[in-house]
Amino acid sequence: MARSNYTFTSESVSEGHPDKVCDRISDAVLDAFLAEDPLARVACETFATTNRVVIGGEVGLTDQDKLAEYMGRIDQIARDCIKDIGYEQDKFHWNTCKVTNLLHEQSAHIAQGVTGEQGDEGAGDQGIMFGYATNETEALMPAPIQYSHAILRRLAEVRKNGTEPTLGPDAKSQLSVRYENGKPVGVSSIVLSTQHLDPNMTSADVRAVVEPYIRETLPDGWIGADTEWHVNPTGKFVIGGPDGDAGLTGRKIIVDTYGGAAPHGGGAFSGKDPTKVDRSAAYVSRYLAKNIVAAGMADRCTVQLSYAIGVAKPLSIYVDTHGTGDVEAAAIEAAIPQVIDLTPRGIRTHLELNKPIYQRTAAYGHFGRAPEADGGFSWERTDLADALKAAV
């Protein structure tokens, strides 16, 4: 039997966190190639440290002769990302850091596994992917990760618009949320560490800046007299970003998904085009789980898909409604293939994934965001709910 009274903790990191700087650059490179060639295959990894950014991986284009032309844009793409995030530190500055581009042509052996006789057919890799949804928040996301993201998004807004110029780009948040009868009701502890540009600021000074924004972001009544606050608990945090700690693409997979409230298949998202089921199948798994909950078939739902490289159809579909379902999980599993094509091509078509929509996903979570008019966050739509109910 599921517990109904407990405390669960999730963390988030800001767009200026070293790993997120790398995720952003990798996804910006991906978007640049997709803008030129919607069928581009990209696996882009970024490493960042003091005054240095290294970009590597592989690229496959419909017209491979154009690769050299596009490569000349990579340096500026990286600098634009760093500038927008806000790094102008002596040892990590968008205009002075050294950018090394080591991208190369996609392996022919990988390409042959993905491309069938009729074009993009098989999955880009083997693997397991999970999607999750819960009705405890409006976005159908777990509350601890959803509000951890929201706090950092709000602090980034006031930093960038000039309201709080003392804040720096690098930050982390962590919320311990109390549940009663299975629903979130309050926060037992708040952890917020944020870079600050004034070296004379104390932890108390930083708390005075950030506390009003944290209070306005969390639901009314969630912060009480017994809530523990830990704001910059180590003291000063002036040196931030890749100068303070090296960054690498794909190291924040739990931050990117459900904050530990649900399983993760292991594959990272950023820098990967949608033939890579690490990304596209994780997105469609979330889409399915969210629509199952939105359809009222369950209060909570986990969906797992599995794939083999070069094989189009998923090897398995698994649904778990955690004892909250009004419909048998096996019936939902049988209904899913009736309402959506879960081949890589089918996923990309249904969710319109061959678009330059990925840079915006690189910080503050890939899930729980509002679907956008240009196709961004299409996996957050609930337009499959009626079809699922009818099929069941």
Side-chain angles (χ1 to χ4, degrees):
M1 181 179 294
R3 294 179 63 191
S4 57
N5 300 314
Y6 56 93
T7 298
F8 192 84
T9 302
S10 294
E11 69 159 350
S12 179
V13 298
S14 72
E15 63 199 76
H17 185 279
D19 295 331
K20 283 289 143 197
V21 172
C22 295
D23 286 346
R24 170 79 175 270
I25 294 171
S26 293
D27 274 334
V29 170
L30 169 62
D31 280 354
F33 280 112
L34 289 177
E36 298 288 349
D37 181 356
L39 297 181
R41 297 200 185 132
V42 181
C44 177
E45 311 288 345
T46 303
F47 167 74
T49 186
T50 302
N51 272 338
R52 172 80 63 151
V53 172
V54 181
I55 302 168
E58 58 181 27
V59 179
L61 299 176
T62 305
D63 182 357
Q64 201 67 23
D65 291 339
K66 292 186 176 180
L67 182 58
E69 173 192 341
Y70 298 159
M71 285 294 194
R73 308 174 191 175
I74 302 301
D75 181 286
Q76 192 59 48
I77 289 170
R79 296 186 190 282
D80 288 345
C81 290
I82 298 166
K83 183 177 183 180
D84 182 70
I85 291 168
Y87 278 115
E88 295 185 342
Q89 298 172 192
D90 288 344
K91 294 184 178 180
F92 196 75
H93 193 294
W94 62 269
N95 195 38
T96 58
C97 69
K98 183 174 182 180
V99 178
T100 303
N101 175 15
L102 301 176
L103 288 168
H104 59 81
E105 184 175 351
Q106 183 185 37
S107 160
H109 293 166
I110 292 176
Q112 73 183 6
V114 180
T115 303
E117 295 179 357
Q118 300 175 356
D120 290 343
E121 294 291 338
D125 201 354
Q126 72 175 48
I128 57 175
M129 298 81 202
F130 289 93
Y132 181 72
T134 171
N135 64 4
E136 66 189 60
T137 62
E138 185 176 332
L140 303 186
M141 282 287 287
I145 187 67
Q146 189 73 358
Y147 287 109
S148 292
H149 288 322
I151 287 169
L152 293 182
R153 278 200 307 271
R154 182 64 179 132
L155 292 179
E157 288 172 2
V158 296
R159 171 177 65 86
K160 288 184 166 185
N161 68 21
T163 304
E164 300 295 348
T166 60
L167 298 180
D170 196 353
K172 301 179 77 172
S173 63
Q174 182 173 289
L175 294 179
S176 297
V177 176
R178 289 187 297 106
Y179 286 74
E180 295 178 3
N181 298 317
K183 298 297 181 183
V185 297
V187 177
S188 61
S189 68
I190 298 167
V191 182
L192 191 287
S193 294
T194 181
Q195 183 185 11
H196 52 94
L197 305 183
D198 181 352
N200 296 315
M201 292 180 75
T202 65
S203 296
D205 295 331
V206 176
R207 176 171 173 174
V209 172
V210 302
E211 182 173 343
Y213 300 108
I214 294 174
R215 287 185 176 275
E216 75 177 36
T217 300
L218 295 178
D220 290 342
W222 274 31
I223 299 175
D226 58 346
T227 300
E228 295 182 27
W229 289 76
H230 302 279
V231 177
N232 281 22
T234 63
K236 297 188 186 304
F237 183 5
V238 177
I239 300 172
D243 182 34
D245 189 10
L248 190 66
T249 299
R251 285 203 298 200
K252 288 292 178 284
I253 58 176
I254 300 303
V255 170
D256 286 342
T257 55
Y258 308 103
H264 190 293
F269 301 154
S270 289
K272 296 178 181 177
D273 75 81
T275 67
K276 279 74 170 174
V277 285
D278 273 346
R279 184 167 217 161
S280 56
Y283 286 178
V284 83
S285 296
R286 160 65 177 173
Y287 177 65
L288 290 168
K290 186 173 184 180
N291 277 270
I292 289 164
V293 173
M297 289 190 273
D299 293 339
R300 295 171 55 210
C301 183
T302 299
V303 174
Q304 184 206 54
L305 302 175
S306 68
Y307 289 84
I309 188 169
V311 179
K313 292 185 178 180
L315 306 182
S316 64
I317 301 171
Y318 169 77
V319 173
D320 185 356
T321 55
H322 306 280
T324 69
D326 293 330
V327 179
E328 288 292 329
I332 301 174
E333 291 169 356
I336 286 172
Q338 299 176 41
V339 299
I340 188 171
D341 177 358
L342 291 176
T343 65
R345 181 200 292 267
I347 296 169
R348 295 196 308 275
T349 300
H350 190 96
L351 296 179
E352 304 176 272
L353 297 182
N354 288 104
K355 295 180 176 181
I357 55 174
Y358 297 103
Q359 186 177 171
R360 69 195 75 172
T361 69
Y364 313 120
H366 291 245
F367 308 127
R369 312 279 286 273
E372 298 176 350
D374 66 352
F377 302 102
S378 59
W379 49 94
E380 292 297 312
R381 302 188 311 236
T382 54
D383 54 355
L384 200 67
D386 289 342
L388 278 168
K389 284 193 290 186
V392 168

